[in-house]
Amino acid sequence: MTNLYNHGTGDILTEHHDNGILQITINRPDRYNSLTLPMFEEMNQIWADVERDDQTRVVVITGAGKAFCTGMDVAQPDPTPQDALAMLETERKRVATMLRIEKPIISAINGPAVGYGLSTALLADISIAADDAVLIEGHTKVGVTAGDHAALIWPLLVGMAKTKYYVLTSEKLTGAEAERIGLVSLSVPREQVLPRALEVASQLARGSQQALRFTKRALNAWLTNAMPQHELSSALEILDFAGADYAEARQAFREKRPVDFPSARAAGGPAN
Ligand SMILES: C/C=C/C(=O)SCCNC(=O)CCNC(=O)[C@H](O)C(C)(C)COP(=O)(O)OP(=O)(O)OC[C@H]1O[C@@H](n2cnc3c(N)ncnc32)[C@H](O)[C@@H]1OP(=O)(O)O
């Protein structure tokens, strides 16, 4: 695959298909396409490129190998306070840009999507998941607030009752279950995910570009009006980055053992 917009990490690939379709592929398959801090920044630069690129009419985002994207690389070195602040700014820009981009965005959820990965997939205009893909909200499982616009997008997609259940418990859903509750647009057999996404992209690329742009803008007014929710959840998530629970979750992940949150211990709860 060529790398049209190259911002240095080589871990996110971009290529044009015929007819103005841009494919973004998160390309760190051995780490299930989890994102390092430089990749978060690169992802933002790519969305800014998409906004400017006159050659692109529709965007398809997917993951290389078995996973779509499992969010933040929880095995990377501890984030500094400066890293956390930079993340907050990066997040704010990313969500605003994804909402502002007038070109339709389609997520092709080929496999596990967790945390930031799932939120990105859900913020796309159309989401197509493998029927057996594992989808996990995941933030609270690693001791951080469900930021990454989970608080923005989930209630609009599935209502507050399902949102609170899945966001607070981080219980996993399959792609088929996610389609049933309205979290994703479609679920299809795994091997059909990318072809189906490209087929829908091709159909949109042949459609009235102005009608599509204006319709997307009108629908996204629901989301842009709710940006204060995003700002709040992102700020709370960043506070948690410096906390003992997130440090324990990263340590547990590296040691491949169950997590034992200090805050649960302090409250007298059982270690889990
Ligand atoms: C600001 C952003 C915040 C967030 O995004 S919060 C969410 C953070 N993400 C997570 O907590 C997800 C962690 N990953 C998982 O829970 C599991 O993966 C899955 C349930 C998604 C899939 O499980 P399975 O199919 O058994 O695969 P596997 O053996 O766990 O993963 C394959 C390899 O990928 C690495 N990996 C997966 N996700 C991450 C990640 N997020 N950060 C770093 N590495 C990851 C693993 O360690 C392993 O590698 P090895 O074979 O060498 O052990």
Side-chain angles (χ1 to χ4, degrees):
M1 186 189 278
T2 55
N3 198 4
L4 188 66
Y5 316 139
N6 187 348
H7 292 287
T9 70
D11 290 331
I12 308 174
L13 303 177
T14 44
E15 68 170 338
H16 267 151
H17 291 270
D18 293 342
N19 205 13
I21 299 168
L22 178 83
Q23 182 176 329
I24 302 174
T25 307
I26 308 172
N27 184 38
R28 214 171 157 243
D30 56 328
R31 301 278 97 198
Y32 268 24
N33 301 321
S34 57
L35 269 66
T36 58
L37 293 176
M39 288 171 74
F40 281 98
E41 186 50 42
E42 181 161 24
M43 192 58 101
N44 273 25
Q45 290 167 323
I46 288 171
W47 289 122
D49 289 340
V50 168
E51 192 174 22
R52 280 192 295 266
D53 184 355
D54 293 338
Q55 303 299 307
T56 295
R57 293 181 174 189
V58 186
V59 182
V60 172
I61 179 164
T62 193
K66 288 186 184 163
F68 175 75
C69 170
T70 56
M72 167 88 89
D73 181 332
V74 285
Q76 68 189 328
D78 295 351
T80 64
Q82 287 80 2
D83 291 336
L85 267 178
M87 279 286 296
L88 179 61
E89 197 43 41
T90 305
E91 256 309 281
R92 179 180 291 136
K93 273 196 209 144
R94 179 178 67 98
V95 174
T97 311
M98 280 184 80
L99 293 180
R100 209 174 49 235
I101 287 173
E102 295 189 319
K103 298 136 190 170
I105 302 170
I106 302 173
S107 55
I109 311 168
N110 50 308
V114 187
Y116 170 101
L118 181 56
S119 301
T120 298
L122 300 182
L123 199 61
D125 303 300
I126 295 174
S127 48
I128 302 179
D131 48 19
D132 62 351
V134 167
L135 312 186
I136 307 175
E137 206 303 307
H139 284 83
T140 57
K141 273 234 161 114
V142 294
V144 298
T145 302
D148 298 324
H149 64 266
L152 174 70
I153 191 78
W154 273 76
L156 277 175
L157 291 172
V158 296
M160 200 51 98
K162 294 285 184 201
T163 294
K164 285 192 174 169
Y165 183 77
Y166 286 105
V167 173
L168 291 176
T169 65
S170 278
E171 187 172 301
K172 70 180 175 198
L173 294 118
T174 62
E177 288 163 345
E179 180 187 8
R180 188 173 50 74
I181 67 168
L183 189 67
V184 300
S185 316
L186 295 176
S187 68
V188 298
R190 180 172 289 249
E191 66 283 1
Q192 289 174 26
V193 171
L194 186 58
R196 186 65 180 275
L198 291 171
E199 189 184 308
V200 176
S202 175
Q203 181 191 332
L204 294 180
R206 291 192 306 270
S208 160
Q209 297 305 297
Q210 175 152 315
L212 291 171
R213 278 202 307 275
F214 284 3
T215 301
K216 176 170 171 171
R217 189 187 296 182
L219 290 171
N220 272 1
W222 287 95
L223 290 157
T224 45
N225 289 343
M227 275 304 267
Q229 268 93 320
H230 169 61
E231 302 273 333
L232 174 63
S233 64
S234 285
L236 295 173
E237 180 182 15
I238 296 309
L239 282 181
D240 290 332
F241 275 142
D245 282 352
Y246 184 49
E248 157 59 14
R250 291 198 311 279
Q251 189 66 21
F253 186 81
R254 287 192 280 258
E255 292 172 7
K256 296 186 191 286
R257 62 164 171 81
V259 66
D260 178 17
F261 287 125
S263 64
R265 268 185 262 141
N272 51 2

